[in-house]
Amino acid sequence: MMYKVVSIIFLLLFSIGASAQIQSIPKVEVTREVNKNLKPNGDFDLFQNLSHPLAITGGIIVLGGAATYIIGSETNNSNYQPVTTTQYVGISLFAAGAVLFTVFSAEWNESVVKRKKSKKKYDASDWETQ
């Protein structure tokens, strides 16, 4: 009983001291210059096309897979380790929906770098050993 009273008094004094210390910290306002002329590059375009029909379908399949897994787990006496077929179907639906959503909601606006073709013509005699 004495231990509880001493610990409560200690915590009360500690919180009062901490709040007094926090209130005495001077506030320094730092102004940062922001460059407003920045344009997003390909790094910001990952999930920009959320209105694609297959991205919407993928999101619905993800929710359906999660619901199927939870239903399968609850029918198995709240065991969330995958044991039943329903749980494995839920995991599969979730994974397939996640792939669909990720692939079709991404903006692939960067073109692939094409390999430069060499203009030099090689002759077979250049490669023969002498």
Side-chain angles (χ1 to χ4, degrees):
M1 180 69 178
M2 184 67 177
Y3 176 73
K4 291 181 182 179
V5 172
V6 171
S7 62
I8 290 173
I9 292 172
F10 175 74
L11 287 174
L12 184 64
L13 291 174
F14 179 75
S15 64
I16 291 171
S19 66
Q21 180 67 24
I22 290 173
Q23 291 176 1
S24 64
I25 296 174
K27 293 183 179 179
V28 178
E29 294 185 18
V30 177
T31 58
R32 296 182 181 162
E33 294 181 13
V34 178
N35 187 358
K36 295 183 180 179
N37 296 327
L38 293 176
K39 294 181 181 176
N41 55 10
D43 297 337
F44 297 108
D45 293 339
L46 187 57
F47 295 113
Q48 294 294 324
N49 195 8
L50 297 177
S51 62
H52 194 280
L54 289 176
I56 295 171
T57 305
I60 293 170
I61 291 174
V62 164
L63 294 175
T68 305
Y69 182 78
I70 291 171
I71 290 170
S73 298
E74 290 297 324
T75 58
N76 192 20
N77 297 327
S78 297
N79 184 6
Y80 284 96
Q81 278 186 313
V83 178
T84 63
T85 307
T86 309
Q87 289 173 316
Y88 285 113
V89 168
I91 291 170
S92 303
L93 284 173
F94 186 87
V99 169
L100 271 175
F101 178 79
T102 304
V103 169
F104 289 103
S105 66
E107 278 288 334
W108 304 102
N109 60 359
E110 293 184 16
S111 60
V112 177
V113 179
K114 295 182 179 178
R115 189 175 359 159
K116 295 179 182 177
K117 293 185 178 180
S118 176
K119 294 180 182 177
K120 185 176 180 183
K121 297 287 182 179
Y122 292 100
D123 189 16
S125 61
D126 293 341
W127 297 97
E128 292 178 1
T129 58
Q130 295 183 5

